[in-house]
Amino acid sequence: MARLHDLVLDCAHPAATARFWAAAPDGHDVAPYDDAELARLRAHGISGPEGDPTVLVEPRGGGPRLWCQLVPEPKRVKNRLHLGLVSTEPEAELRRFTALGATVHNRHEDHWVLADPEGNEFCLFPSLS
């Protein structure tokens, strides 16, 4: 049986988008760059992590990874897939997300629809616990 391994997010600025998604959900980090990876980037004419066209966000406790991938075209329509986050303190998380660069699109009865700095939608639900 297959299992979910990676989610890929198309974006114009992979490093900045990866920093947002490493900070937004709990327990995620931008994958570190070792000397071999930096050498690989330089071999492709990329001076460092900020110019990396594919930046990896890893969960600390396991689960799907998130790749932020450079694409040439701008986002034009609603995402076909978006992430859903839960929080026991959703109002505080809304403030934190907007401080990170997210925007609130809609407030529904049971959740909020937001967008990351690149316009990719995600939802925030209050957790029941």
Side-chain angles (χ1 to χ4, degrees):
M1 295 294 292
R3 64 181 175 84
L4 190 57
H5 183 61
D6 290 329
L7 298 169
V8 179
L9 186 60
D10 292 346
C11 53
H13 305 285
T17 303
R19 284 192 296 273
F20 175 87
W21 283 106
D26 188 34
H28 289 72
D29 296 298
V30 173
Y33 287 81
D34 60 15
D35 289 338
E37 181 61 12
L38 292 171
R40 186 188 71 77
L41 290 175
R42 284 191 299 275
H44 290 286
I46 301 164
S47 61
E50 202 58 35
D52 191 349
T54 57
V55 181
L56 176 62
V57 176
E58 298 178 304
R60 285 183 221 130
R65 305 176 310 171
L66 179 64
W67 284 96
C68 297
Q69 170 181 277
L70 178 67
V71 295
E73 67 278 354
K75 181 179 180 306
R76 296 203 172 136
V77 297
K78 185 177 183 324
N79 298 36
R80 293 287 190 152
L81 172 74
H82 66 263
L83 302 180
L85 306 176
V86 297
S87 174
T88 57
E89 298 181 27
E91 296 287 345
E93 285 298 90
L94 282 171
R95 289 188 297 277
R96 192 173 70 80
F97 292 157
T98 56
L100 290 170
T103 55
V104 178
H105 281 213
N106 293 300
R107 168 67 167 112
H108 297 280
E109 186 175 320
D110 63 342
H111 71 284
W112 292 262
V113 178
L114 297 96
D116 72 10
E118 292 245 352
N120 298 297
E121 294 91 0
F122 65 100
C123 290
L124 174 63
F125 296 88
S127 63
L128 300 175
S129 55

